Structures are given as C-alpha cells and as structure tokens.
Amino acid sequence: MYIFKSKVILILAIFSSLLFVQTIAAQQGVPENWFNLDPTTDGVNGVSSEKMYETILKDKSSTEVIVAVIDGGVDPNHEDLKDVMWNNPGEIPGNKIDDDGNGYVDDVFGWNFIGGPDGKNVGYDTYELTRVYKTLAKKYANANRDKLSSKDQAEYDRYLQYKKDVDSQQTSAAANVKEYSQVLDFLKSAFNGAGEALGDEPLTQAAVDSLDGSKFGMVKSFLGNLLPQIQGFEGTVGELEEMVLSDYEGALADARKKAEYAYNVDFDSRKIVKDDYGNWKESSYGNPDVKGPDGFHGTFVAGVIAADRKNDIGIKGVADHVKIMAVRAVPDGDERDKDVANAIRYAVDNGAKVINMSFGKGFSPREKAVEKAIRYADRKDVLMVHAAGNSSQDNDVAPNYPNDTYDVARCLFCGKKARSWIAVGALAYEPGENMVATFSNYGQNDVDVFAPGHQIRSTDVGSTYTTASGTSFAAPVVAGIAAVIRSRYPDLKAREVKEIITQSSLVLNQKVHKPGSGELTDFTSLSTSGGVANAAAAIQLASQYQAKKGKKSGVKPRA
C-alpha cells in the first residue's frame, strides 16, 4: 500500500508541473473556433474575425498575399491547406532543375533549410546552450584559469556555468525518462482496472464511492485521489485515460528528446544537412521537402493563419486570399542562426509580404547574421510576426531571440528597432484575471500585443485536426490579421500595418495574473499596446489609413 500511495502522490505532483489540471478544465466547453469570435458578442477573448467578414468586408475587393511560415514543416497536402498553399510559378515540380534560377531546385511550396541533398531531414537537434557550451569546451576544457587573460577568464567562467547547466539538465532529463516510464506503467494498469470497474459509466464521485472496495480497492483509491484534481471533467474512464496517457506519453517523449538530443554534446545534426556550417554566406543548401519528419507545428500555424474558409470542412483560418509559403528551418530543438537568416531572405526574395516566426531561444551566437536578414526584410516592406515565447518571462529583462532590437554599432542609420516587427503574447479564451496564458512571455517594451493562444484548434498532418497551446499559435492569429489588411489595402506599408494592429488593439484596463509569479498586475503593463489584437477594429483603422493616403496622393481610395 505504501508503494501505491507514493505513486499517487508522484502522479498528482507531476499533474501540477504538466499543467494537466488546467488542460482538463480548459478542454471542457471551449468553442473550437474561439480565436475567431467576438469578445462582446461571444464572451471570449477572440479577435472578431467572423464579425469582420460578416459586417465589414462583404464588398471589399482584395489581392492575394503570400504569408511565409518559417517553422518545423507544413503538410502541403492537408485537406484544409492544399488550396491555400503557395505554388512557385517559376518552378516545374519534380524535374530536379532550378527552373527559376533562384538557387533552389524544385522549391514548389517553399524550401527546407534543415534537410540534406539526399532527401534526409533533421528532426531533432541540440539546444543552443549545448552548442555554445560545446564550442567553449574545445577552448577551455583543459585550461588553467590563472593563466588566462581577464577577458578569457570571464569567458572561461561562462563556460563552467554552461557546463554545469548542460550536465544538470541532461541528468534531470534522464531521471525523468525513468520516472515517467514507471508512472506510465502504473497508470496503464490502474486505468485497466478502472475500465473494468466502471466501463462507459460517467466518472463521478458517486460512481467511485459505489465501487466494491474488496474487489476494486486500488482503483477506488486511485480515482478517489485523482477526482479532486480534475474538477470540471465530464466523461468516462476511457476518455480520461486517453487524455492522461497522451499527456504522459508527451512528457516522456520530451524527456527522452532532452536526454538524447537537446543536451547531448555528441549529437550533430549537420551531418544530415551536409552544408559548410562555418560559411555564413552559404544559402543554397537543403532540399524541397517542406513537411519534414514531423510537420505538426508548422501545419498547425498555417491553419490558424489561412485554413480554407470556403471548403466547409475542418476549421477556418483568420485570413482569406492568402497563399502559405512553407520555409522549414526549425527542428525539434533550437533553430540555428544560419538557417533562420537564410529562411527570412528566402521568404522576402520569393514574394512574402508577411512572415510568421513561431520559434525562439535564449542564445544567439550569430545574432549578427539574423539581424542582417531582419533589416533586409524591414527594408523590403515585409511584416515579421514573432511569438513572444512560452517561458513566463519578461522579455524586457530576459534574452529572447530573434527580436526587433538592432545593434546600433552595426548600422548607424537603421534605428534601434525594426519598424516592421510584431511580438505576440498569448491569451486564454475566458476574460478575467486568468486571461493571460500562464506560460506566455510578456514585456512592456518587447511584446507588442496579445492574441488567442491557449486551447486553439487547428490543422495537423495527414488532414487531421488537434488542439494545442502556445504563443506559437497566438502569433499566426496576428499574422492572419496582417494578411487581411495587406490583401485589402496593398498600398499600406508593413510598418503601417504594425501600427494599425497595435493601435486598434482592444486596451483592457483590468488586473490579470502575471505569468510566472501569478501576482495581479495591470494588463496594460504586459505589452507596448496594452491590448488584444482585433481584426474588425484593425480593418476599420486600415480603411482610415488608406483614406488619408488617398487624400495626400490625390488617388481615390480603394474600395
């Protein structure tokens, strides 16, 4: 009995760390398309996309806009995306010729910068911390600190700290692999017993209390401990089992990934890519497989932006009149600066007017290369939408890359920040003190606006659909709004579209729980705009911007 009780205690503790209780509660009664709904009419923190289409855009003319999704891969054959995918007009599919001469062979739907010439693809990769530590270890592993210069001593001290961090994280991940494996075995056994006891009967306290303790003692104790942790759950044992096991299997997979790849200094993904990694001017590497080995994340992002609004299946993305360009540069691990810089340039050079970047990291050893690409996109009038991150941190204080801040020493005339960059935090669906997602990063200077990002339903690989949370899925909501503006008012500049989205956001003068600490704070203090993106308000403000442009130029404003 002691073993059983310790297992239950362990499970309940891990539930809390995995936000399992919040997940169970959130999955009950959340409208599947809540991110498109209206705050006033529907009582959720949506961005009023449906209202925009129903009441404002009925008779507006539009042009097609290309939105690049720089991510881990997009399934171009998904039933809800296949008709909104960008098709390179200058490329003949499958002929193994660079028909348009852009340096990329058969880039029909986009390009994959983390694939090899033989068609193999990077799935997992290390974290940037691991790579930085490995680089420094080559220099300092056998060094005597006392014999180093003061500059090298500082770097040596960082090396020791990084070594400590990497070793600690890998040890912890290995321990979690063992722990989660044991818990999963226990859970499967417990749920088998619970299924035998209750079958398809609704899982209620009364049903558990009615169980014969002499026959189902362990099951009765297990469910009795579990039920108070999942208040609000309405379903059967089988339904709960599916949710619980899925959560733990995900946690186990994550722990294995960290132990075997993310914090493993001996793992090298570039053996697959076969590029000259030290050559930062190199750009024509990779392959045309934009889906990759696991296209979930990018497929999900693409669906939020532009899932077909006319086919009456699946979901509806925020934007219509959009073509999704898939640019694969983000592995399961930290993206590399070289790939990110090349991905941004590829998107710009091939016609994207909006770029969604739902990725980020705490180290950027070649930030200069990425900054150059961001400046390039800025100059070329391309709007960049970036996820704020999921570490519950203040981005004004903690590092988060890439970002919109320029190193003035590198470019005296560029200004301090990119003008065409929007960083997006995540909201939960219900208004009130808990409306900011607990995982979301924030920052009064470095996060621009908030948008729906918790329990979002969107497209998954293989023409399936799923629900997920993250600022990764708040960013494409804003990218979708930006695409709608640029399709209806193509004369507006990217920097103007940013102004429109931030200035038209719904400012909420209320207290909310700050991510990380949980303390109550003013919602307006968490971003530069202090508001929630709103598509209907944004398109109305865009009309006003366009009208002013027309007056100044003497050109009649577009319909």
Side-chain angles (χ1 to χ4, degrees), residues 392 426-428 434-441 450 453-454 513-516:
S392 308
L427 291 178
N434 296 317
M435 65 182 289
V436 178
T438 57
F439 53 77
S440 181
N441 291 359
F450 277 78
H454 186 246
H513 289 290
K514 181 187 291 187

Side-chain angles (χ1 to χ4, degrees), residues 71-76 85 107-112 287-292 295 325-328:
D71 215 290
V74 176
D75 181 356
M85 292 299 297
D107 58 326
V108 177
F109 299 114
W111 192 250
N112 172 19
N287 67 47
D289 180 4
V290 298
K291 180 182 175 182
M325 175 192 293
V327 190
R328 187 166 184 265

Side-chain angles (χ1 to χ4, degrees), residues 358-482:
S358 290
F359 55 82
K361 58 186 180 181
F363 291 85
S364 183
R366 291 303 296 261
E367 182 189 5
K368 179 180 178 181
V370 179
E371 183 183 307
K372 281 185 176 180
I374 291 171
R375 291 204 306 266
Y376 182 66
D378 218 5
R379 291 196 307 273
K380 294 290 186 176
D381 190 38
V382 178
L383 185 70
M384 294 162 282
V385 185
H386 187 244
N390 304 324
S391 303
S392 308
Q393 73 179 27
D394 184 347
N395 283 356
D396 294 353
V397 178
N400 187 52
Y401 301 98
N403 56 56
D404 64 347
T405 303
Y406 292 150
D407 185 336
V408 178
R410 295 182 190 142
C411 183
L412 296 176
F413 305 105
C414 292
K416 292 183 179 180
K417 289 195 172 188
R419 297 179 301 170
S420 307
W421 179 282
I422 303 179
V424 187
L427 291 178
Y429 80 102
E430 286 187 313
E433 292 181 348
N434 296 317
M435 65 182 289
V436 178
T438 57
F439 53 77
S440 181
N441 291 359
Y442 57 93
Q444 195 158 31
N445 296 314
D446 288 335
V447 174
D448 295 294
V449 71
F450 277 78
H454 186 246
Q455 291 300 301
I456 304 296
R457 185 165 182 78
S458 187
T459 45
D460 198 354
V461 294
S463 293
T464 60
Y465 302 84
T466 192
T467 300
S469 301
T471 60
S472 283
F473 313 128
V477 172
V478 173
I481 296 173

